[in-house]
């Protein structure tokens, strides 16, 4: 059975069996090769980033799958990278997966000497064109996270976000043959609607 047919069957099953999904409910589907893009859009403090980051850490810990961590701007990435990324992970994730020995080298984060993830910003995507973001087996799975994909109202524009995101993905996955999972997380404001619109998503108010 072709992958596209599998994805369609998985999608049809989800729609028929359950309309509303939490991020935890989606984790079971992530173990299959059914989906490439997973978009989580919702209110603040709902646990979207926490669940996905914890899942990524677990995949890295158990299956040695590193990931690429994107934010919109370089300033946001610098904030995550402060003090060897001590503030990038919730304390419960640090304790559960023993992330005590973090070491940042350039854009790459290591834990106990093992490569964990690399940090990139969409606003500086042009600096990565024509490069490999990290050396790894191109047949292994790759995970990509775009966190906080919405910009606050009144924030300074850093360019066309959809163009930046498309080019960033091209650099990241152009030679990949293994499973690709791309997570996009945003609030119900700002640029999340622009990026979600690429998937024909139209936000509605339900009573």
């Amino acid at each position: 059975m072709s992958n596209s047919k599998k994805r369609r069957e998985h999608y049809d099953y989800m729609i028929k069996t359950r309309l509303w999904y939490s991020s935890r409910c989606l984790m079971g589907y992530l173990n299959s090769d059914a989906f490439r893009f997973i978009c989580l859009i919702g209110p603040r403090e709902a646990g979207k980033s926490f669940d996905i980051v914890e899942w990524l850490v677990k995949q890295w810990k158990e299956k040695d799958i590193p990931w690429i961590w994107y934010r919109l701007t370089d300033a946001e990435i610098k904030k995550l990278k402060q003090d060897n990324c001590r503030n990038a992970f919730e304390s419960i994730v640090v304790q559960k997966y023993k992330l005590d020995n973090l070491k940042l080298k350039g854009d790459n984060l290591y834990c106990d000497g093992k490569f964990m993830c690399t940090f990139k910003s969409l606003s500086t995507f042009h600096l990565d064109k024509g490069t490999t973001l990290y050396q790894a087996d191109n047949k292994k799975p790759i995970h990509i996270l775009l966190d906080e994909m919405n910009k606050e109202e009144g924030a300074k524009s850093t360019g066309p976000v959809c163009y930046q995101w498309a080019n960033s993905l091209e650099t990241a996955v152009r030679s990949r043959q293994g499973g690709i999972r791309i997570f996009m997380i945003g609030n119900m404001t700002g640029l999340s609607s622009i990026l979600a619109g690429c998937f024909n998503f139209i936000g509605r108010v339900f009573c």
Side-chain angles (χ1 to χ4, degrees), residues 26-78:
L26 288 170
M27 293 302 132
Y29 290 97
L30 299 184
N31 294 323
S32 72
D33 198 31
F35 299 97
R36 291 288 181 266
F37 286 88
I38 298 94
C39 301
L40 288 85
I41 300 175
R44 298 182 186 280
E45 307 301 328
K48 304 180 298 297
S49 296
F50 175 85
D51 282 351
I52 296 302
V53 170
E54 183 185 10
W55 186 85
L56 291 171
V57 171
K58 183 178 180 181
Q59 291 289 302
W60 166 77
K61 197 81 173 180
E62 296 179 354
K63 301 181 181 180
D64 193 25
I65 303 175
W67 76 92
I68 305 174
W69 197 333
Y70 283 100
R71 286 287 185 93
L72 290 181
T73 67
D74 200 43
E76 295 175 54
I77 287 296
K78 287 179 180 178

